[in-house]
Amino acid sequence: MTHEVNNTAAARPADPRLFLRDEELDRSVDLLLAAGRRLAETAETTRRAQNLSEPAFALLFLLRAEPGLSVTEARARLCATTPTFARLIADLDSRGLIAKSRGGRDGRERRLSLSEDGVSVLAPISEALRDAVRGAWRETGADRVTGAVAALEALIK
């Protein structure tokens, strides 16, 4: 999945006059963590309905966001041991949820992406998460969504 970045907001220099008190920053952290918990609860409910383990869910969503990751990159991102990750890939491959291709300079590197069935398995989870975010954005208003997305993008840089 490709995310578009608002280049207009990124091109503007940061306003050095923006001063935030510790209480405001703490409130922001609390809200971000609470929002993360809410999204995690929504994802957990739908993950179980799709009969996915937590590691399988994590890998599938990683591949949705970054298709074509090498096995080594994906394993490192999930902080999994090689044997555990090999079992996870074998399980997802046997279920037809991932696709493997060859890459790298010599063609020995294996790259991972979602298969069509993998996309289908994630669809209800993605829709539930979209619904949660959509409701929040609608309540917030379009003018504030742009700023909130820009702040979230800046936070993960």
Side-chain angles (χ1 to χ4, degrees):
M1 169 179 269
T2 305
H3 300 284
E4 290 185 24
V5 177
N6 181 346
N7 290 328
T8 307
R12 282 186 296 223
D15 184 349
R17 298 172 296 160
L18 180 61
F19 295 101
L20 297 172
R21 297 183 324 245
D22 286 348
E23 297 82 18
E24 294 167 322
L25 294 170
D26 289 345
R27 177 70 175 143
S28 296
V29 168
D30 292 344
L31 288 169
L32 286 167
L33 292 174
R37 284 190 301 274
R38 170 73 198 291
L39 290 173
E41 290 166 2
T42 300
E44 179 66 10
T45 300
T46 52
R47 175 193 69 78
R48 287 182 180 172
Q50 291 298 318
N51 196 29
L52 289 174
S53 67
E54 288 181 32
F57 169 81
L59 178 57
L60 293 176
F61 261 86
L62 177 61
L63 296 177
R64 183 187 84 151
E66 298 183 53
L69 280 178
S70 72
V71 169
T72 303
E73 292 167 328
R75 184 186 63 74
R77 297 268 178 87
L78 296 181
C79 300
T81 64
T82 300
T84 298
F85 198 71
R87 283 190 300 274
L88 176 60
I89 289 176
D91 175 53
L92 294 175
D93 192 30
S94 71
R95 293 171 63 182
L97 301 180
I98 58 171
K100 295 187 273 185
S101 61
R102 298 244 175 235
R105 287 186 279 187
D106 60 5
R108 291 189 297 170
E109 187 175 69
R110 287 186 302 156
R111 300 225 167 247
L112 303 172
S113 57
L114 292 177
S115 67
E116 287 183 30
D117 287 345
V119 171
S120 295
V121 164
L122 288 185
I125 302 168
S126 297
E127 188 57 35
L129 292 169
R130 273 189 227 109
D131 285 346
V133 173
R134 184 181 296 117
W137 285 158
R138 282 189 175 145
E139 188 174 317
T140 301
D143 57 328
R144 293 184 177 172
V145 170
T146 303
V149 169
L152 292 170
E153 288 172 340
L155 188 61
I156 62 170
K157 284 185 183 176

